[in-house]
Amino acid sequence: EADIYQTPRYLVIGTGKKITLECSQTMGHDKMYWYQQDPGMELHLIHYSYGVNSTEKGDLSSESTVSRIRTEHFPLTLESARPSHTSQYLCASTSPLYNEQFFGPGTRLTVL
Amino acid sequence: GIQVEQSPPDLILQEGANSTLRCNFSDSVNNLQWFHQNPWGQLINLFYIPSGTKQNGRLSATTVATERYSLLYISSSQTTDSGVYFCAVGEDSNYQLIWGAGTKLIIKP
């Protein structure tokens, strides 16, 4: 199993603020993902990376950006938060052996 | 693209009951996973099961790849089994998962 860490777990901020959600994994997985999810609803892929210096947008349009400078670190940044960004953000990585995805605990973001 | 349908969308049971959750998918897949999302939002891996049958305690899963469906069985339900159960499928070629809408399970004491 992968150890995936996300910080902060909860965040309440005002409109217009810049924020970065952190995601790190300790297993050396190349493939990492960011999902957005409203409570109890379907997951939507917003960004993914297949390795260092590789980032792609997912199926759901998002105003966020990501970077992948180190294998273990995949932060997500919102330049100017808006109430429509209120959601849970889940980070995941994939085991190369079986292509199985593992998830971090998530960040619950509320933008006032 | 591949479509994933889960049924039932909602299920309410008494503690101790058994349940079967279904996941249908529209095309051949090389990856199928079942997850449980607890009330705190954490997604927990239950099974990686692109084909065959697996069991883990009170939970078991079966995927019939040729007929494009998977079943998750929960026996002797406990209140801690409550939450949303997601099925997700994928093809090895793009390493992404396509998600079902989930089954919301409520176990009453």
Side-chain angles (χ1 to χ4, degrees), chain A residues 83-107:
Chain A
S84 60
H85 296 138
T86 295
S87 190
Q88 173 163 251
Y89 293 84
L90 291 159
C91 180
S93 70
T94 295
S95 164
L97 185 59
Y98 294 114
N99 207 22
E100 184 176 1
Q101 276 196 23
F102 295 93
F103 284 79
T107 294

Side-chain angles (χ1 to χ4, degrees), chain B residues 43-68:
Chain B
L43 270 167
I44 300 163
N45 291 50
L46 296 178
F47 295 102
Y48 172 81
I49 187 166
S51 65
T53 298
K54 291 186 178 179
Q55 180 159 4
N56 184 4
R58 296 181 296 103
L59 275 61
S60 64
T62 295
T63 297
V64 183
T66 53
E67 297 187 21
R68 299 178 185 168

Side-chain angles (χ1 to χ4, degrees), chain A residues 3 5 9 18 43 47 52 65-66 73 94 96 100 107-108:
Chain A
D3 290 324
Y5 306 96
R9 293 292 310 280
K18 177 181 178 179
L43 276 73
H47 296 283
V52 171
T65 59
V66 292
H73 194 215
T94 295
E100 184 176 1
T107 294
R108 286 188 187 270

Side-chain angles (χ1 to χ4, degrees), chain A residues 9 31 33 35 37 40-43 45 48 50 59 88 90 94 98-105 108, chain B residues 30-31 33 35 37-43 45 47-48 84 86 91-97 99-101:
Chain A
R9 293 292 310 280
K31 301 173 186 64
Y33 311 81
Y35 292 89
Q37 183 196 28
M41 304 297 286
E42 190 174 346
L43 276 73
L45 181 67
Y48 60 96
Y50 289 166
D59 298 328
Q88 173 163 251
L90 291 159
T94 295
Y98 294 114
N99 207 22
E100 184 176 1
Q101 276 196 23
F102 295 93
F103 284 79
R108 286 188 187 270
Chain B
N30 298 96
N31 182 354
Q33 293 183 243
F35 297 88
Q37 188 165 40
N38 63 25
W40 297 270
Q42 172 79 55
L43 270 167
N45 291 50
F47 295 102
Y48 172 81
V84 182
F86 288 101
E91 303 167 292
D92 284 343
S93 59
N94 67 10
Y95 309 108
Q96 294 177 28
L97 290 178
W99 293 78

Side-chain angles (χ1 to χ4, degrees), chain A residues 1 6 10 12 20 24 30-32 35 37 40 47 49 51 58 60-62 69-70 80 86 98 100 103 106 109-110:
Chain A
E1 281 198 20
Q6 290 187 244
Y10 303 92
V12 181
T20 297
S24 296
D30 287 327
K31 301 173 186 64
M32 296 188 72
Y35 292 89
Q37 183 196 28
H47 296 283
S49 168
L60 180 66
S61 175
S62 173
I69 299 173
R70 303 196 315 266
S80 180
T86 295
Y98 294 114
E100 184 176 1
F103 284 79
L109 174 65
T110 301

